[in-house]
Amino acid sequence: MAVLLEGSRVLGLCNMSDEGLASCKPAVAKATPEKPNPDKPTPECCEALKGADLKCLCGYKNSFLLPSLGIDPALAMALPAKCNLTPPADC
């Protein structure tokens, strides 16, 4: 799952709304000394993920963009399972 941030504005991606992407950000954020563990995905995040194009989101798993935005790719790829969704087989 990818979240693109541009300043304080979140851009929609892979059939997820801006609000859906923003609701998932805490669950995929890279660890910091202040916050070593990510949040669990919220019900709003999981609901947004249900309508997302998971294959599209999978395309970002090896992207340099995710770490540059403070997103842990491993956490992003684990998000569908945490929301009881089945990720694409080739993801």
Side-chain angles (χ1 to χ4, degrees), residues 42-61:
T42 63
E44 294 81 11
C45 171
C46 291
E47 189 62 33
L49 203 56
K50 282 181 189 175
D53 180 344
L54 296 181
K55 191 166 181 91
C56 172
L57 291 173
C58 254
Y60 288 90
K61 75 178 178 179

Side-chain angles (χ1 to χ4, degrees), residues 27-83:
V28 296
K30 284 195 295 190
T32 65
E34 299 81 29
K35 189 165 182 173
N37 299 310
D39 291 345
K40 291 182 179 178
T42 63
E44 294 81 11
C45 171
C46 291
E47 189 62 33
L49 203 56
K50 282 181 189 175
D53 180 344
L54 296 181
K55 191 166 181 91
C56 172
L57 291 173
C58 254
Y60 288 90
K61 75 178 178 179
N62 295 318
S63 170
F64 69 90
L65 187 61
L66 297 182
S68 72
L69 295 172
I71 296 169
D72 181 323
L75 292 174
M77 293 305 111
L79 198 55
K82 290 181 180 179
C83 289

Side-chain angles (χ1 to χ4, degrees), residues 12-17 48 51-53 56:
L13 181 71
C14 297
N15 295 336
M16 285 186 75
S17 69
D53 180 344
C56 172

